[in-house]
Amino acid sequence: MNENSLLLDDARAVVRVRSARWLATRGIAPKDFDALAPRDRRRAVLETWRREREAAAAAKPATTATTGAGTTTSTAKDAGAAGGKP
């Protein structure tokens, strides 16, 4: 999802439209995002959306997994930083 969210700010309209459609089909597109809107409007919507996603990720409780090596605790943010899917 991170790659598609970054592509919403691409200079090419076709890239933004395809990315927005991809995210929309998964129910995770930014509310009120218009891929063909002026850049300032798109960026304002994206900034709001990113802040909301960060706040939601911070509010999620950490998940705990037990392995043979011991117990590890991670968050959705940790998975994204490691290249995994939250």
Side-chain angles (χ1 to χ4, degrees):
M1 182 180 83
N2 277 344
E3 183 178 343
N4 276 286
S5 64
L6 292 174
L7 293 175
L8 292 174
D9 202 23
D10 196 274
R12 297 164 292 175
V14 68
V15 173
R16 294 190 307 266
V17 169
R18 292 183 82 190
S19 181
R21 284 185 185 165
W22 188 91
L23 291 166
T25 61
R26 288 150 180 81
I28 52 177
K31 182 181 174 188
D32 300 325
F33 181 77
D34 179 359
L36 302 177
R39 184 176 59 167
D40 293 343
R41 170 75 175 129
R42 291 190 321 265
R43 287 193 175 171
V45 170
L46 290 175
E47 183 60 34
T48 299
W49 181 59
R50 288 176 181 139
R51 275 185 284 193
E52 289 170 355
R53 286 179 34 214
E54 288 173 2
K60 274 188 177 180
T63 57
T64 304
T66 305
T67 64
T71 302
T72 59
T73 302
S74 65
T75 64
K77 189 174 183 179
D78 295 335
K85 294 184 179 181

